[in-house]
Amino acid sequence: MNSIHLKSRIVEIAKNLGISDHQLPLELSNPPVAHLAEEQCTLIKADNLTALSWLLDQNKRDIDFCYIDPPYNTGSTFVYHDKRQAKSASIWSKHHDWLAFMLPRLVATQLLLADDGVIAISIDDYEYPYLKILMDSVFGENNYIATLVVCRSKNGKGSKANVAVNHEYVLLYGKSEQSTLRGVEDQDLEKYNKEDEHGRFTIDGLFRKKGDASKREDRPNMFYPLYYSQDGKVYASKISEDLREAWPVDSKGAERRWLWGPEKAQSESWKLYASPKGVIYVKNYSAPNKRIKIRSILDKPEYLNDRASREVKSIFGERVFETPKPINLIMDLIDCCSSPEATVLDYFAGTGTTAHACHLLNKNKSANRKCILVEHNHFINKSHTANAAGFKTTADITEFRLNKLSEDDQSFNFSTQEIE
Ligand SMILES: C[S@@+](CC[C@H](N)C(=O)[O-])C[C@H]1O[C@@H](n2cnc3c(N)ncnc32)[C@H](O)[C@@H]1O
């Protein structure tokens, strides 16, 4: 797969979506001869579509996790360009140009991801619905994993009437059905408030099937009696006279079925727990480094934008960038979505938060992730604080943070590559 295939895929999807191709950059530049440096972190200073098409031509089809935080099309004046809102005659109206900008980049990402790779995209509600449709076209609806809601400020935006919006989104897609999330570390250990000879446990899942295919007639062999004692132990047979009987019957008296067949219940009945009223649950045991599914609402104080602004101030001395992401949010996303040996790509690198997050994970959690960043040499307006602080381009901002990281910690190494 190379940039020729990339072009034909871009044209095909643009045609399906009615995105006019005069907006699409179909003249992808020829790949330069240089090869990708294999450092722990590589910063490619280039337009990201050029960089992605170059990576494709290098056959770099093993990206495990791609995190991007594209311009949200707010129309605001930031250190980078964030206004693609011209009215178009297409059905996408004011969203057309932003979609035309994102489309080729997402098509290239889909081709670069490993078969079990995952992409996470930060976005707010202005482009969210359009991005969802675009992602369904590029990655396929089947590969949609979820949308996470991130609480980004306590008070929300004052600029809008009626609602002070204080959240944004992270849209998650997999490359294929092989793509899975590792989940997050289970930090709520207090919930494991019961104990038996197998360890500490909590009871949070009913052993009676709920929802689809939960009726007795759906799986007749999973309708059988269990026996329980008053101290919560469950048995598949009546081994003593004082045991009581429990059936998979719901609160309305409807006959349902258990989750397991009788053989499994016989050999693994120690994993079951009975309430005094005979409701049977599956025990959920605590284990070292246990991971649980990520919740769809992310509202830790460390994820607030204020935190990110303070981080930028402490790294750069000034508020050189208006929309950085908090390190903890990106660390948690990387940790949840990719293995400790993963290659991570961020081609809207900005202040380089993703590289910083990868480095901290490598250091603190004995991981060994590699990180590829792309940021273009976009000239910074003379009136901007970043220019006054000595930064000529946005890629200089990214590089500054990487330099600082390697000065502060010699275990961090990076290289910079410039491609035309
Ligand atoms: C929203 S910011 C990303 C902020 C980043 N997540 C952080 O924590 O600092 C988007 C970044 O993408 C860069 N960018 C926009 N268009 C680009 C392009 N075509 N090629 C490379 N970088 C681009 C902008 O200069 C900006 O730095």
Side-chain angles (χ1 to χ4, degrees), residues 264-301:
K264 184 164 170 175
Q266 177 80 47
S267 57
E268 298 185 28
S269 60
W270 59 273
K271 291 183 183 166
L272 302 176
Y273 175 86
S275 75
K277 288 188 174 161
V279 181
I280 311 291
Y281 296 91
V282 183
K283 293 175 190 167
N284 176 358
Y285 283 95
S286 155
N289 306 322
K290 183 170 177 173
R291 285 183 173 262
I292 55 170
K293 285 181 195 168
I294 189 168
R295 301 302 192 253
S296 58
I297 295 186
L298 306 183
D299 58 358
K300 290 190 186 168

Side-chain angles (χ1 to χ4, degrees), residues 173-289:
Y173 279 75
K175 162 93 174 224
S176 73
E177 71 284 354
Q178 293 172 43
S179 309
T180 51
L181 306 187
R182 288 168 82 216
V184 292
E185 279 173 14
D186 188 1
Q187 282 166 343
D188 177 16
L189 299 180
E190 278 177 17
K191 71 176 176 236
Y192 299 104
N193 55 4
K194 297 192 163 36
E195 193 164 10
D196 64 14
E197 61 276 29
H198 300 282
R200 297 186 69 78
F201 67 91
T202 177
I203 44 163
D204 52 15
L206 263 190
F207 187 50
R208 173 166 41 75
K209 177 90 172 88
K210 290 189 285 189
D212 287 349
S214 63
K215 293 192 193 129
R216 176 180 183 171
E217 58 269 30
D218 292 322
R219 301 292 288 273
N221 68 326
M222 292 192 183
F223 183 86
Y224 52 87
L226 288 170
Y227 303 90
Y228 65 97
S229 55
Q230 281 307 293
D231 62 357
K233 291 209 166 75
V234 177
Y235 305 88
S237 44
K238 191 159 184 176
I239 54 163
S240 97
E241 271 314 303
D242 55 351
L243 294 183
R244 296 193 182 172
E245 210 171 71
W247 290 87
V249 174
D250 69 19
S251 55
K252 291 184 182 139
E255 291 183 337
R256 305 277 172 185
R257 63 156 175 110
W258 299 126
L259 290 178
W260 310 335
E263 299 76 22
K264 184 164 170 175
Q266 177 80 47
S267 57
E268 298 185 28
S269 60
W270 59 273
K271 291 183 183 166
L272 302 176
Y273 175 86
S275 75
K277 288 188 174 161
V279 181
I280 311 291
Y281 296 91
V282 183
K283 293 175 190 167
N284 176 358
Y285 283 95
S286 155
N289 306 322

Side-chain angles (χ1 to χ4, degrees), residues 46-48 67 69-71 80 84 101 105 321 323-325 346-353 374-376 378 394:
D47 172 77
N48 48 21
Y67 169 73
D69 175 22
Y80 56 90
R84 291 180 176 85
F101 168 70
R105 289 159 175 86
F321 205 92
T323 62
K325 285 286 179 271
D346 177 352
Y347 55 85
F348 287 103
T351 59
T353 312
V374 184
E375 174 64 42
H376 58 178
H378 170 76
T394 48

Side-chain angles (χ1 to χ4, degrees), residues 44-51 67-72 78-82 84 101-102 105 122 308 311-312 316 321-327 330 346-354 374-378 393-395 397-398 401:
I44 304 173
K45 291 178 158 188
D47 172 77
N48 48 21
L49 186 56
T50 308
Y67 169 73
I68 52 167
D69 175 22
Y72 288 3
F78 291 145
V79 68
Y80 56 90
H81 175 61
D82 197 26
R84 291 180 176 85
F101 168 70
M102 292 302 291
R105 289 159 175 86
S122 285
E311 286 161 5
V312 160
F316 295 91
F321 205 92
E322 294 86 356
T323 62
K325 285 286 179 271
I327 303 178
I330 307 306
D346 177 352
Y347 55 85
F348 287 103
T351 59
T353 312
T354 299
V374 184
E375 174 64 42
H376 58 178
N377 283 312
H378 170 76
T393 72
T394 48
I397 296 181
T398 325
R401 188 173 193 167

